[in-house]
Amino acid sequence: MNTQAIAHYMVLRAKQNADWYRQKNAITHATPICEVDELFFYLVNFISLDALSLGHTLIVLDGSVKLADLSATVPSWQITLFSPVIDWLCIQAQTGDLSEADYYWQHLQNLALEHKQKEVCLNDIMSKATVHFTQNTHHQATSLDEFYQMLTVLVHSYDYVCHTLHHKFDAFCQLLEDNYFFGNASDTRAMTPIILHHAADKLYLWGNRAWQAEKQLLAHLKRIDSAVVNCFDTDNLSSSLNTKQQQAIKMVSNHAFGIITGGPGTGKTFTVAQIVLALYANNPNTRLALAAPTGKAAQRMSESLQKALPADKLKISLPEPNTLHRLLGIARHGIPRYDESQPLPFDVIIVDEASMLGTEMARRLVCATKTGTRLILLGDAHQLAAVEAGAVLSDLCCTPMFADHLVHLVQSQRFNDESGVGRLAKIINGTQPNKADLALQLLLDDASLGITWLKDDESSDGLDKAALYQAIMTGYQAYFEATRLLLRRFSQMDADAQADAIWALFITLNRYRILTASHLGRCGDHKINEFIAKMHQDYLKLQQTRSPWYHGRVVMVQTNRYDLGLFNGDVGICLQEKGQFIVQFDGNPSLRVSSALLGDDVVTTAYAMTVHKSQGSEFDEVAVVFDGESERLLTTELIYTAITRAKQSVQIYSTPNAFNQAVNTPTVRVTGLGLVSTLITPSCD
């Protein structure tokens, strides 16, 4: 799809109905709208959409690096401004190869150097790049017209920056401040497509959607926190609570909004269980909602809370945890049932795995939380950020206005000082310059850990693809055998025996899981699942068919299916019963779904899963597999999240370069939530 189509439409409509758009604060001036306004609106609109696709809500142009002369390096603010367009042009012409970026930069700088022959140079760039596209493109995702449009925007905007603004950052900022389609962040009424804030040597740019989401999120959090809530008794807390846990409970007692963070095993769930006990002791009719971003995380939340509630204390029937989609009543049309005009009917809402919250989902949640409701977020800020744009939990942890609403738990009950997994997680989260070496040494020395190198190329040492697949498959031998024993017996069992067998089968399955960085390549879950599925069928001596279904197949739900009671992240096992295939889902013994209702658009094979999909899950042992093909995804947060899915042991399979990158590359999400909190006093309008 042409990402500029909506922008072009708005420009056309604004020209035709300028007074109406101005009254709606969608443009800042009356007619006429000049070509330069259009040009830079198209450019910034493109890079803001590109930023959103990469998880950023904000674009920051840094003008502190000055350009000494035209032969000098391109200033960083211009690289930020023009690189997304250049990368897009390269991808369209080279099907993903960004090596041609220098081609465009060189021609653009030639344009800057050849001012006297500017028109000749402009035409030369346009014609050469267009020929380059038509000769090299191998797909139809982008038409020549779309390519030419963005090339025109790139060349003419760069020309203007060079020859009219003379590379002056302040002049560029003023140009955007005067643009019809740009509004200032200090104007809370602004509804322009782009919102900006210029401070010192930095220019901050939001697309309107991201700006509104962050502004409303902050406003509703302040509204929620402004409510006076009834404090509950914190004088008779369990003696097993440590100081930080007691501090967290007292914080929740005093505030309507609270954040409890901590690594795996630090007792977040146990702390929340004590909060639930105190709330129900204070008011047995408390209306409680439990939620998480995925079905698997919600299920684990329920199991953990039930275990954490002491049997000899107040008997509490916990509500069924929901995904956030289900809690808010978001169906296929994407419109929530609950919102600001119809808030959620609960006294307390507890959301687990809040690190997975993107800005838009967090906004929907807080908009639907009524004044007087306690909202408690739980999570580990070191884990992977949300798939959608934003990093809400980590942003809130760094926002001064919520400093009194945050308690970070540090004392791990699961991983003591002798635990290999805990020590490895601590190293990876550290700031030591040699932490990759420290992590590698621990992986080699600790019996519960291990690392195996993969081949980088034909000349390097390490496992090849075939050897890798054989190695990681061994963790499923116990599961293969368990499914073999059930193959002939399951149909003959009564309902109680079947329930016991399914429970035992899931215990065996959850002892081990393979985690990958991405779907693609030799280390992607697609190829690994394809191999293990075939080996599993061979082990069971099953006849190969065109159907993906067979006894013992492990599947994961990929999309919410409210009609079937299934949610994104739910894991199931296919079982053969009287010649039919049914799928039983983990944590819900009463839910059986016919395989005929579960197409490839609903479930996928899941012996291996991506680290993103594993969030909210725990396994005894984990194999983590990645190489350089997933270079863009390899970050400290990814490997930390992967290893902390394991309770006992971790085995890493990687190339040396990929391992070093994963350990040493923190995720950088450029977001504006903290900045918004300093710029304005947002209202909920």
Side-chain angles (χ1 to χ4, degrees):
M1 186 185 81
N2 186 349
T3 57
Q4 292 294 70
I6 295 176
H8 282 281
Y9 174 77
M10 179 170 183
V11 169
L12 177 63
R13 295 285 296 177
K15 284 181 175 180
Q16 295 173 343
N17 305 279
D19 290 338
W20 185 87
Y21 271 81
R22 180 170 52 80
Q23 290 171 12
K24 295 293 183 181
N25 296 306
I27 59 174
T28 55
H29 310 295
T31 54
I33 297 173
C34 65
E35 291 183 4
V36 173
D37 285 341
E38 292 182 45
L39 177 67
F40 283 95
F41 167 52
Y42 292 144
L43 175 67
V44 177
N45 180 68
F46 181 92
I47 67 173
S48 70
L49 291 173
D50 179 73
L52 275 177
S53 71
L54 297 174
H56 311 301
T57 61
L58 179 68
I59 300 160
V60 182
L61 303 183
D62 187 348
S64 61
V65 181
K66 306 299 182 183
L67 187 65
D69 56 68
L70 290 178
S71 62
T73 303
V74 178
S76 64
W77 68 271
Q78 292 183 28
I79 293 173
T80 303
L81 186 65
F82 297 115
S83 283
V85 183
I86 290 176
D87 289 349
W88 184 86
L89 293 170
C90 291
I91 289 171
Q92 305 316 311
Q94 297 292 317
T95 61
D97 183 2
L98 298 181
S99 62
E100 294 294 315
D102 289 342
Y103 167 91
Y104 290 97
W105 278 116
Q106 186 59 53
H107 279 72
L108 289 174
Q109 291 187 288
N110 287 343
L111 169 65
L113 293 169
E114 299 178 23
H115 182 51
K116 292 181 180 179
Q117 300 179 346
K118 186 178 77 168
E119 291 304 320
V120 174
C121 190
L122 278 170
N123 292 333
D124 183 53
I125 296 172
M126 298 294 291
S127 61
K128 285 183 178 179
T130 304
V131 169
H132 192 65
F133 172 80
T134 56
Q135 289 179 344
N136 289 287
T137 191
H138 300 292
H139 56 83
Q140 301 299 317
T142 299
S143 69
L144 180 58
D145 284 345
E146 292 174 53
F147 182 86
Y148 193 82
Q149 285 172 3
M150 286 315 303
L151 179 62
T152 301
V153 169
L154 171 69
V155 171
H156 286 276
S157 57
Y158 190 86
D159 169 58
Y160 195 91
V161 167
C162 289
H163 298 135
T164 303
L165 303 181
H166 305 292
H167 298 281
K168 294 179 179 178
F169 181 68
D170 287 342
F172 175 75
C173 293
Q174 190 62 54
L175 174 76
L176 297 193
E177 288 174 4
D178 295 337
N179 192 300
Y180 289 77
F181 299 99
F182 289 67
N184 200 293
S186 61
D187 182 359
T188 57
R189 302 170 303 158
M191 292 295 292
T192 51
I194 308 295
I195 306 295
L196 61 77
H197 173 65
H198 182 200
D201 288 326
K202 287 188 171 62
L203 182 67
Y204 303 92
L205 299 162
W206 292 262
N208 185 277
R209 175 184 170 188
W211 165 255
Q212 295 297 336
E214 291 189 328
K215 186 177 73 166
Q216 290 179 25
L217 171 58
L218 199 64
H220 282 280
L221 282 176
K222 292 186 71 175
R223 171 186 59 78
I224 292 166
D225 184 57
S226 67
V228 177
V229 292
N230 293 324
C231 297
F232 51 78
D233 180 21
T234 58
D235 294 330
N236 300 299
L237 297 175
S238 169
S239 59
S240 59
L241 291 163
N242 60 41
T243 302
K244 281 288 186 180
Q245 290 173 319
Q246 293 180 36
Q247 182 183 337
I249 295 171
K250 291 175 182 178
M251 178 269 293
V252 170
S253 175
N254 292 319
H255 297 286
F257 174 60
I259 307 170
I260 302 174
T261 66
T266 50
K268 295 188 295 294
T269 306
F270 181 73
T271 303
V272 168
Q274 304 307 307
I275 292 172
V276 170
L277 283 171
L279 286 167
Y280 274 90
N282 185 62
N283 179 9
N285 297 317
T286 296
R287 294 170 297 175
L288 172 67
L290 305 175
T294 68
K296 183 64 179 177
Q299 175 198 325
R300 264 206 64 234
M301 181 186 192
S302 175
E303 294 169 352
S304 300
L305 271 175
Q306 289 287 6
K307 291 177 182 177
L309 289 171
D312 60 336
K313 294 287 185 179
L314 183 66
K315 301 297 182 183
I316 296 174
S317 178
L318 289 176
E320 177 187 354
N322 287 312
T323 63
L324 287 171
H325 277 81
R326 190 176 185 185
L327 178 74
L328 295 170
I330 302 172
R332 291 183 180 179
H333 50 67
I335 300 173
R337 175 186 176 189
Y338 295 102
D339 55 20
E340 187 176 2
S341 61
Q342 186 176 349
L344 291 160
F346 300 108
D347 302 312
V348 182
I349 301 172
I350 302 174
V351 180
D352 200 6
E353 299 292 347
S355 65
M356 301 169 71
L357 274 176
T359 304
E360 182 59 29
M361 181 56 76
R363 181 196 68 80
R364 287 180 164 183
L365 171 66
V366 298
C367 282
T369 301
K370 65 179 172 39
T371 304
T373 295
R374 272 191 173 89
L375 176 63
I376 306 168
L377 303 183
L378 310 177
D380 183 351
H382 296 299
Q383 286 191 30
L384 281 167
V387 174
E388 65 181 40
V392 173
L393 184 65
S394 58
D395 281 350
L396 292 177
C397 290
C398 299
T399 302
M401 72 169 62
F402 296 121
D404 293 338
H405 302 68
L406 167 68
V407 175
H408 180 63
L409 307 180
V410 294
Q411 186 176 329
S412 178
Q413 303 299 318
R414 186 191 309 167
F415 304 131
N416 57 35
D417 292 340
E418 302 303 317
S419 163
V421 176
R423 290 162 64 200
L424 181 60
K426 187 174 181 180
I427 290 172
I428 288 173
N429 265 341
T431 58
Q432 311 95 315
N434 63 333
K435 67 177 182 177
D437 293 334
L438 295 173
L440 178 58
Q441 193 60 54
L442 180 61
L443 284 162
L444 295 172
D445 291 345
D446 194 287
S448 66
L449 307 174
I451 187 164
T452 302
W453 298 126
L454 306 179
K455 274 183 174 290
D456 254 331
D457 52 49
E458 291 303 318
S459 62
S460 65
D461 294 329
L463 298 186
D464 60 15
K465 178 179 173 180
L468 165 66
Y469 289 1
Q470 289 291 342
I472 60 179
M473 188 184 69
T474 58
Y476 278 119
Q477 290 303 307
Y479 176 71
F480 284 7
E481 178 60 15
T483 57
R484 186 189 69 81
L485 293 174
L486 276 182
L487 181 57
R488 308 300 176 197
R489 297 170 46 213
F490 190 73
S491 294
Q492 280 72 50
M493 293 178 174
D494 60 28
D496 289 341
Q498 284 189 346
D500 290 342
I502 291 167
W503 177 77
L505 192 59
F506 272 110
I507 288 178
T508 303
L509 173 64
N510 289 330
R511 288 175 184 156
Y512 177 72
R513 196 69 94 247
I514 301 165
L515 306 182
T516 69
S518 72
H519 295 304
L520 305 178
R522 65 169 175 172
C523 293
D525 63 337
H526 287 174
K527 290 290 186 184
I528 293 172
N529 281 322
E530 183 180 320
F531 175 83
I532 296 179
K534 185 179 185 307
M535 294 299 100
H536 193 177
Q537 292 174 78
D538 289 347
Y539 186 91
L540 299 178
K541 297 181 172 59
L542 300 177
Q543 184 177 356
Q544 297 286 331
T545 67
R546 292 184 179 181
S547 171
W549 292 103
Y550 56 89
H551 177 81
R553 182 191 180 196
V554 182
V555 296
M556 174 179 279
V557 177
Q558 302 182 89
T559 185
N560 294 326
R561 282 293 303 269
Y562 300 98
D563 56 326
L564 299 176
L566 299 177
F567 301 94
N568 191 355
D570 287 352
V571 173
I573 296 174
C574 176
L575 297 168
Q576 184 172 319
E577 183 179 25
K578 298 178 182 178
Q580 302 294 318
F581 290 128
I582 57 99
V583 182
Q584 179 74 52
F585 286 90
D586 195 7
N588 193 346
S590 63
L591 179 61
R592 289 186 172 191
V593 181
S594 168
S595 65
L597 300 175
L598 302 174
D600 291 343
D601 59 329
V602 179
V603 298
T604 186
T605 305
Y607 300 93
M609 66 178 71
T610 63
V611 179
H612 271 99
K613 285 289 189 182
S614 75
Q615 285 185 271
S617 299
E618 281 184 350
F619 312 101
D620 292 344
E621 302 175 11
V622 162
V624 187
V625 187
F626 57 91
D627 63 7
E629 288 188 77
S630 303
E631 180 179 5
R632 185 176 61 86
L633 302 171
L634 299 180
T635 64
T636 304
E637 289 77 8
L638 180 130
I639 193 170
Y640 169 81
T641 303
I643 65 173
T644 54
R645 298 311 90 205
K647 293 187 284 186
Q648 297 175 7
S649 68
V650 172
Q651 179 72 37
I652 294 175
Y653 297 84
S654 174
T655 58
N657 288 338
F659 175 77
N660 286 330
Q661 178 181 334
V663 173
N664 291 312
T665 308
T667 297
V668 179
R669 282 270 173 111
V670 184
T671 58
L673 201 59
L675 181 59
V676 171
S677 71
T678 66
L679 290 178
I680 59 175
T681 302
S683 68
C684 298
D685 297 337

